[in-house]
Amino acid sequence: MGQWPGLVTTDDTLPATLTERIALPIPGPALSARIEPNVTAPELIRNFCIIAHIDHGKSTLADRMLQLTGVVEPRAMRAQYLDRMDIERERGITIKSQAVRMPWQLGDQAHALNMIDTPGHVDFTYEVSRSLAACEGAVLLVDAAQGIEAQTLANLYLAMENDLEIIPVLNKIDLPAAQPEKYAEELANLVGGDPDDVLKVSGKTGAGVEALLDRIVERIPAPVGDADAPARAMIFDSVYDTYRGVVTYVRVIDGSLSPRERIVMMSTRATHELLEIGVISPDPIVTKGLGVGEVGYLITGVKDVRQSKVGDTVTNAGKPATESLGGYSEPKPMVFSGLYPVDGSDYPALRDALDKLKLNDAALNYEPETSVALGFGFRVGFLGLLHLEIVRERLEREFDLDLISTAPNVVYDVTLDDGTEVKVTNPSEFPGGKIKEVREPVVRATILAPSEFVGTVMGLCNDRRGQMDGMDYLSEDRVELRFTLPLAEIVFDFFDQLKSRTRGYASLDYEPQGDQAADLVKVDILLQGDQVDAFSAIVHREKAYDYGVMMTAKLKEIIPRQQFEVPIQAAVGARVIARETVRAMRKDVLAKCYGGDISRKRKLLEKQKEGKKRMKNIGSVEVPKDAFIAALSSDSGGGKDAKDKKK
Amino acid sequence: MPALPEGTAVPDDGTLPFARVGSVALRQAQEPRPFGVYVHVPFCSVRCGYCDFNTYTASELGGGANQAAYATTALREVDLAARVLDDAGLGSRPVSTVFFGGGTPTMLPAADLARILRGVDDAWGLAPGGEVTTEANPDSVTPESLRVLADAGFTRVSFGMQSAVPHVLATLERTHDPRRVPDAVAWARDAGLDVSLDLIYGTPGESLDDWRASLEAVLATGVDHVSAYALVVEPGTKMHAQVRRGELALPDEDDQAAKYELADELLTEAGLGWYEVSNWARGPEHACRHNLAYWRGDDWWGIGPGAHSYVAAPSAEPVEAAHADPAGVRWWNVKHPRRYATLLESGSSPGAGRELLTPAEAQLERVLLGVRVREGLEVDALDRSRRAAVAGLVARGLLDGVAAVRGRVVLTRQGRLLADAVVRELTP
């Protein structure tokens, strides 16, 4: 099965005539019968995933595999078939993973290849880990013009920890800027082996993809399991579908699952009837069941993804397994932000929208909260900044809501002198009084950067209370730096700073690494003595002054002059650490008002009164809502950070 | 002058939007509302950098818009006005005040101004003791021209002095010699005219001392009336472009506030009390009655291109079908003198557009105009829901407490500087 002789196309889809003319190693009817779902011997199954950085061409490569294995007709090909939601297509990232079954013949044997699509972002590490746990091997896909990125590296380590067979592949070799030799060397250094072993493909043209499929069959071990044991299947994804309810994706480890039987979710002991079971290829195909090593989907009629949790073990109610597969954990929100409708009357619409999103997002949680400054809204917990940005964008786009989001913050565990413990998800609720200890979450961050920026990166991490854990050269000019950093520091415009100080060359990945005690204080912002809850922040004691000066200066710029002087203060407890003053407005009158001015003057007045409705009152100070949005959106780190990450 | 407001069309014959059925006799039986006439003269010798009025420096704009023919053209509108008001049953009112504004009315020969005034008198009759004012540039008058005006029935002249400080006048692009102002004032008083001086404060580059010098120069002339306006940089003016290009600094509002306070102090000390936010007079008899009529919501007809007119609904009495009448009508003429002349020559109204005020709009105007004057406004005239705001405004020092106790809304000095904010609080 060779390469595509002389085939170069810039089109996203392959010319139909070519795929039809060239004999592809797709099994014929006789061989195919041996790889029917439910009856496929585990030896003939290969379960793999693709680990890649955003934009390194994972989806395009997946598309090409679907085409070459005959699963999707070229004419029906929609670019990036696997990315379902519009928003995913637009951002070029994959939020929800799915699994596709593809036939492939090597020698005289047909095989069933299950490609499990993994999310590619730092916020979804847990989902990635479950996807990896469903596989025996992983394709490590790296852009031949860019080399490996921090996030890919982190997922690669995760795959290695899971003992997966790694197949290193360089993609986009058709690009003029590609440096396959250089990066093959880098990959070989990382995964071991010879640089010549690194496959070189182009998802765009299809070059090298057949060889990759062969390599998958050759190198990736077949799944092993006990066919006679009680059924155990791991949930690696669960998706809400408007028509079908929750569709649960599983990998069977032991035993088998069949339609109409009752199943048990081992973490909750909840039982459901299996209404439908099948595989995706790439549309759902109903089957008579799923056996050892197989990957497919279940439908039980439940309506909320929380009833079908990623990482949970599914077993048979009649003949239940005694031990779950392990590795399950509840999704834990790491970053919190207040979401408020710009127009207060949209509050019920926001609540309904969150309720709907929650059906498909097990990690999303929220509670109503009230802000003096912003009115009624919700405190929402997210896996990370990108998760926050995606949710916010879906709320605005799919539900047509205008939202204000407060600066993202992390969760603090506060222990008071009397031993009471308080979990703080909203800075304005940080307890006053005697505090014994405050603990904040920390992460293990991996930063890849050209070696010339090592000093810069170290400086930034040092400013952000980072501790260096180690440093390695990936190649002559690329360095991997590892730090332990407070998550709060990352949440606050870290990525923007990293990007701008390294001219966009550095990449970042991080994963939770427990917590640490820290000398943290709450800085409140007061307008004319009244606390503005939306601007409270928890910062390290040494940074409190800087934050206070920055915030008061910013507010001074955006708060219009009132009829009286408005002091803007930053305070830690009762101690004022920074102060600005918006001077009183001394003149608000049109000097001239004669016959020809009256209509204009009245209309101006009517307009001003209309404008007043867009004001929020903080005590007696009128602040335009736009000013709040301006103060909260810039430097908050959330939006920009996540948006840049797709680049 | 700023762009004309948006409005609906004015009927060709200029008819007012008030019901006529059975109403004329009744209206005539009532005490007539005061009625004033404004005459716009759209000519200047040069255009000043800050000016956004409807004025032209060419003497030949063509046909009836030429300076030489302007009096004849304006008189055509006087005829039209007389007919329209008569038709509405509002024709039998003598004219209480006439005001010639501009532009520079004294660009026209005094005899032409006199002719227009005579036309107004012929149409309605000037009320006994009526006030007749003209604006003038100190450069554009002589002892003789002022005497001609006085003889023709003018009682008052308002000079655009703006400043006594040469560098301020230069920034404003005023061409007159400040030393000429005392002479012009003396000539006008010799001719028996009441005199007002206009000042502008807050010009870029004007110091507080410059402003004090201008005020002292005004007081040295002994005039009985002063108007002082904060400079506003209006879009479309040359000065606006200079500010945008960074050649001039935008006037600073704090600086203007300080200058207002200084003016109010010095003028009050000298015996000129405020009677409107930007106007001071040595006693009520020297106040400009024409301008007071605007702030009191009286009727007036504006003659000339771009001029505005206002007529309130003729009667609050239960005239049949009158409940469908608007509370008042305001209209404005076409801006360009050429178009203005052509319309009048063809017998059409020069009105470009008009607005029919709803009772709520009329009420809003009543408040926004009423608070500007010293006599103020009755608390009872406020919307019921806003009367409670008066106490708060008194507490904040923006309204006069004694007046409030007596049931009137009167601004303090600080309140005058924040008059627009006060109005916003006093209207629903």
Side-chain angles (χ1 to χ4, degrees):
Chain A
M1 22 347 38
Q3 304 282 328
W4 290 84
L7 174 62
V8 178
T9 165
T10 53
D11 200 86
D12 257 2
T13 56
L14 287 174
T17 47
L18 272 178
T19 46
E20 278 158 15
R21 203 183 315 141
I22 297 168
L24 286 165
I26 301 168
L31 282 176
S32 291
R34 302 186 56 190
I35 54 165
E36 283 292 307
N38 198 33
V39 297
T40 312
E43 311 83 87
L44 301 181
I45 295 174
R46 299 292 183 273
N47 296 321
F48 73 99
C49 59
I50 304 175
I51 295 172
H53 188 71
I54 293 152
D55 276 359
H56 279 203
K58 180 170 70 170
S59 297
T60 310
L61 176 66
D63 289 349
R64 204 57 68 217
M65 289 182 170
L66 294 183
Q67 252 181 300
L68 291 178
T69 56
V71 166
V72 179
E73 288 300 318
R75 281 185 199 83
M77 193 72 203
R78 193 172 49 147
Q80 303 195 358
Y81 198 92
L82 294 181
D83 285 0
R84 208 188 251 165
M85 286 186 275
D86 286 349
I87 190 167
E88 291 185 8
R89 207 189 326 281
E90 244 171 59
R91 290 171 163 266
I93 57 169
T94 309
I95 302 164
K96 284 291 175 186
S97 57
Q98 284 176 298
V100 186
R101 187 178 176 110
M102 302 177 288
W104 192 250
Q105 184 174 344
L106 183 65
D108 53 8
Q109 192 58 265
H111 296 85
L113 273 48
N114 289 308
M115 175 166 60
I116 292 166
D117 203 14
T118 54
H121 191 269
V122 52
D123 286 357
F124 303 100
T125 302
Y126 175 68
E127 293 194 24
V128 174
S129 79
R130 294 307 86 199
S131 295
L132 294 177
C135 304
E136 279 75 30
V139 171
L140 173 66
L141 187 71
V142 171
D143 188 322
Q146 295 185 48
I148 198 162
E149 303 279 358
Q151 207 178 89
T152 319
L153 194 61
N155 285 344
L156 171 64
Y157 290 153
L158 210 55
M160 288 170 150
E161 283 165 26
N162 273 284
D163 210 18
L164 263 52
E165 175 71 27
I166 309 293
I167 300 178
V169 178
L170 286 173
N171 192 18
K172 304 193 187 181
I173 52 162
D174 55 311
L175 288 183
Q179 300 181 69
E181 282 71 33
K182 175 180 174 186
Y183 292 118
E185 177 104 30
E186 197 174 274
L187 289 190
N189 285 343
L190 280 169
V191 299
D194 192 292
D196 290 337
D197 262 2
V198 176
L199 288 176
K200 298 173 184 70
V201 308
S202 166
K204 195 167 174 183
T205 66
V209 178
E210 279 183 73
L212 171 58
L213 288 162
D214 289 349
R215 179 74 61 92
I216 288 168
V217 174
E218 286 163 0
R219 293 274 175 91
I220 295 179
V224 180
D226 184 350
D228 301 322
R232 287 200 299 175
M234 188 199 62
I235 300 177
F236 62 87
D237 199 2
S238 109
V239 180
Y240 177 78
D241 179 281
T242 322
Y243 301 103
R244 310 301 312 275
V246 173
V247 179
T248 303
Y249 292 88
V250 296
R251 150 75 194 268
V252 179
I253 305 294
D254 294 324
S256 65
L257 294 171
S258 314
R260 312 317 304 180
E261 71 184 15
R262 292 195 70 75
I263 55 166
V264 180
M265 303 293 178
M266 292 187 75
S267 76
T268 58
R269 313 305 306 174
T271 65
H272 304 283
E273 187 181 357
L274 255 187
L275 301 179
E276 183 178 319
I277 187 164
V279 299
I280 308 281
S281 190
D283 294 316
I285 296 170
V286 178
T287 69
K288 294 205 169 60
L290 290 173
V292 168
E294 288 197 289
V295 171
Y297 71 93
L298 315 174
I299 290 172
T300 61
V302 303
K303 296 288 183 207
D304 180 345
V305 290
R306 280 165 182 70
Q307 290 172 280
S308 202
K309 297 173 176 175
V310 171
D312 203 353
T313 304
V314 180
T315 189
N316 186 307
K319 187 187 163 192
T322 50
E323 265 183 59
S324 65
L325 291 163
Y328 169 75
S329 69
E330 291 280 341
K332 192 174 156 201
M334 299 296 288
V335 172
F336 285 79
S337 170
L339 289 185
Y340 292 84
V342 171
D343 177 349
S345 66
D346 278 345
Y347 175 77
L350 173 59
R351 187 188 51 219
D352 292 349
L354 283 168
D355 286 346
K356 285 207 180 89
L357 283 190
K358 185 180 166 180
L359 293 178
N360 202 13
D361 189 342
L364 182 67
N365 69 54
Y366 47 91
E367 275 177 25
E369 77 173 5
T370 313
S371 155
V372 176
L374 303 172
F376 292 103
F378 292 92
R379 176 109 322 224
V380 188
F382 303 95
L383 294 173
L385 293 174
L386 182 78
H387 188 210
L388 184 162
E389 192 57 23
I390 288 168
V391 168
R392 195 195 140 125
E393 205 168 313
R394 289 188 65 185
L395 287 170
E396 295 198 320
R397 189 184 303 195
E398 294 171 30
F399 299 92
D400 200 25
L401 292 162
D402 270 339
L403 299 175
I404 304 176
S405 53
T406 62
N409 60 272
V410 302
V411 188
Y412 299 95
D413 287 313
V414 181
T415 310
L416 303 179
D417 271 356
D418 65 5
T420 319
E421 289 184 11
V422 187
K423 199 173 265 301
V424 177
T425 58
N426 180 343
S428 70
E429 289 162 7
F430 196 81
K434 299 255 176 4
I435 289 172
K436 190 198 261 169
E437 187 184 60
V438 184
R439 298 191 74 81
E440 62 172 347
V442 292
V443 296
R444 188 173 64 189
T446 306
I447 296 167
L448 294 197
S451 43
E452 59 183 296
F453 294 116
V454 166
T456 310
V457 172
M458 285 178 161
L460 175 64
C461 292
N462 195 42
D463 284 351
R464 300 305 183 93
R465 301 189 281 133
Q467 282 196 324
M468 188 150 172
D469 299 326
M471 177 170 121
D472 284 305
Y473 277 82
L474 297 182
S475 57
E476 262 177 36
D477 54 358
R478 292 228 303 167
V479 181
E480 173 193 353
L481 298 111
R482 293 180 299 278
F483 289 88
T484 301
L485 278 160
L487 178 60
E489 297 286 348
I490 293 207
V491 159
F492 188 75
D493 90 336
F494 182 84
F495 191 72
D496 282 351
Q497 286 295 322
L498 180 67
K499 278 288 180 192
S500 70
R501 294 191 197 184
T502 60
R503 296 206 303 272
Y505 282 113
S507 64
L508 164 74
D509 186 82
Y510 56 89
E511 58 182 284
Q513 176 86 332
D515 63 1
Q516 69 180 18
D519 189 7
L520 300 172
V521 293
K522 177 174 70 153
V523 180
D524 286 322
I525 302 294
L526 297 92
L527 270 191
Q528 236 202 1
D530 291 325
Q531 186 194 332
V532 190
D533 51 11
F535 293 125
S536 292
I538 295 167
V539 297
H540 193 263
R541 190 177 298 277
E542 285 171 12
K543 303 265 185 77
Y545 175 75
D546 290 344
Y547 177 82
V549 167
M550 184 273 292
M551 208 62 197
T552 50
K554 186 196 268 183
L555 287 172
K556 185 189 175 183
E557 287 305 305
I558 60 179
I559 292 177
R561 292 171 75 177
Q562 317 273 318
Q563 285 168 30
F564 40 85
E565 186 178 283
V566 179
I568 305 168
Q569 295 161 305
V572 173
R575 193 166 57 89
V576 172
I577 55 171
R579 179 186 162 121
E580 293 276 359
T581 305
V582 178
R583 283 179 305 148
M585 177 171 52
R586 291 184 59 195
K587 177 174 169 289
D588 181 7
V589 59
L590 280 185
K592 268 194 178 186
C593 186
Y594 296 103
D597 306 315
I598 298 171
S599 290
R600 180 160 76 129
K601 179 104 165 55
R602 190 192 73 243
K603 283 174 183 166
L604 183 69
L605 175 66
E606 285 165 345
K607 208 168 132 192
Q608 287 170 337
K609 291 184 82 74
E610 200 50 43
K612 215 174 150 74
K613 292 183 189 153
R614 290 192 298 274
M615 297 284 196
K616 292 264 188 191
N617 271 64
I618 306 296
S620 51
V621 182
E622 283 182 345
V623 184
K625 284 183 194 168
D626 294 352
F628 270 113
I629 297 172
L632 289 169
S633 57
S634 53
D635 289 18
S636 67
K640 274 185 289 175
D641 199 58
K643 270 177 200 148
D644 281 359
K645 274 191 185 178
K646 71 180 177 185
K647 286 172 193 155
Chain B
M1 140 161 178
L4 293 174
E6 290 199 4
T8 52
V10 175
D12 251 8
D13 59 3
T15 312
L16 298 180
F18 303 123
R20 301 180 197 206
V21 189
S23 60
V24 173
L26 237 169
R27 283 171 192 169
Q28 288 174 346
Q30 290 168 356
E31 176 73 11
R33 297 161 52 80
F35 174 56
V37 173
Y38 172 75
V39 180
H40 188 71
V41 180
F43 307 112
C44 282
S45 58
V46 291
R47 178 181 273 276
C48 308
Y50 63 91
C51 174
D52 73 331
F53 292 144
N54 190 29
T55 186
Y56 302 83
T57 52
S59 63
E60 299 292 318
L61 291 166
N66 288 344
Q67 285 187 21
Y70 186 72
T72 304
T73 305
L75 284 170
R76 284 185 209 275
E77 193 183 357
V78 172
D79 287 346
L80 178 105
R83 194 173 66 240
V84 168
L85 288 174
D86 214 33
D87 284 353
L90 294 165
S92 62
R93 292 182 288 179
V95 175
S96 321
T97 62
V98 184
F99 194 104
F100 287 72
T104 310
T106 46
M107 284 289 287
L108 293 184
D112 280 5
L113 297 179
R115 215 176 112 216
I116 298 172
L117 180 59
R118 216 160 40 240
V120 170
D121 190 26
D122 288 348
W124 295 286
L126 269 174
E131 176 194 276
V132 182
T133 307
T134 184
E135 292 180 342
N137 188 322
D139 268 355
S140 66
V141 294
T142 62
E144 294 70 35
S145 68
L146 288 163
R147 191 152 301 122
V148 172
L149 291 174
D151 289 348
F154 282 79
T155 63
R156 201 170 167 276
V157 61
S158 169
F159 288 114
M161 173 181 170
Q162 320 311 4
S163 172
V165 180
H167 78 88
V168 176
L169 287 169
T171 304
L172 293 171
E173 301 189 324
R174 297 292 296 199
T175 53
H176 69 262
D177 181 344
R179 286 169 301 189
R180 195 182 162 98
V181 173
D183 293 341
V185 171
W187 300 335
R189 300 181 100 178
D190 286 349
L193 296 168
D194 207 358
V195 183
S196 172
L197 290 174
D198 274 10
L199 289 171
I200 289 178
Y201 58 90
T203 301
E206 181 192 57
S207 68
L208 198 60
D209 283 343
D210 289 338
W211 175 234
R212 188 189 298 274
S214 292
L215 288 164
E216 283 167 355
V218 164
L219 291 173
T221 65
V223 288
D224 299 314
H225 187 283
V226 174
S227 304
Y229 307 108
L231 178 69
V232 177
V233 180
E234 297 284 359
T237 59
K238 181 178 172 190
M239 185 174 272
H240 191 259
Q242 290 172 312
V243 167
R244 210 180 44 224
R245 289 195 298 265
E247 294 163 15
L248 287 180
L250 200 64
D252 177 75
E253 299 226 320
D254 288 352
D255 173 60
Q256 291 190 333
K259 285 173 179 166
Y260 182 85
E261 285 166 355
L262 179 65
D264 195 46
E265 232 164 75
L266 295 186
L267 294 170
T268 306
E269 269 173 31
L272 289 121
W274 79 281
Y275 72 96
E276 192 267 351
V277 168
S278 302
N279 289 277
W280 290 261
R282 204 180 298 281
E285 65 277 20
H286 291 290
C288 177
R289 280 150 52 204
H290 184 83
N291 287 340
L292 275 171
Y294 292 136
W295 302 315
R296 288 171 176 161
D298 293 342
D299 292 356
W300 82 88
W301 193 293
I303 303 285
H308 286 227
S309 303
Y310 176 75
V311 178
S315 173
E317 294 301 308
V319 176
E320 218 170 310
H323 66 277
D325 283 354
V329 58
R330 180 175 295 110
W331 71 95
W332 42 89
N333 288 344
V334 295
K335 254 176 98 168
H336 199 274
R338 181 83 194 254
R339 172 100 183 112
Y340 171 76
T342 313
L343 282 167
L344 282 166
E345 278 157 21
S346 69
S348 295
S349 159
R354 70 180 188 185
E355 57 178 4
L356 310 184
L357 298 177
T358 63
E361 288 168 333
Q363 165 67 13
L364 190 62
E365 291 190 354
R366 188 173 170 201
V367 176
L368 83 84
L369 296 170
V371 300
R372 292 181 72 94
V373 290
R374 182 169 206 160
E375 67 204 32
L377 175 84
E378 284 175 24
V379 172
D380 289 346
L382 299 174
D383 188 274
R384 199 171 289 278
S385 67
R386 300 312 306 152
R387 289 179 201 163
V390 170
L393 289 162
V394 170
R396 273 147 56 202
L398 303 183
L399 290 183
D400 184 300
V402 176
V405 170
R406 294 185 181 141
R408 294 198 76 81
V409 174
V410 177
L411 296 170
T412 60
R413 180 185 288 168
Q414 199 195 343
R416 276 178 269 153
L417 276 166
L418 298 170
D420 289 359
V422 171
V423 170
R424 287 197 293 276
E425 289 192 41
L426 291 180
T427 50

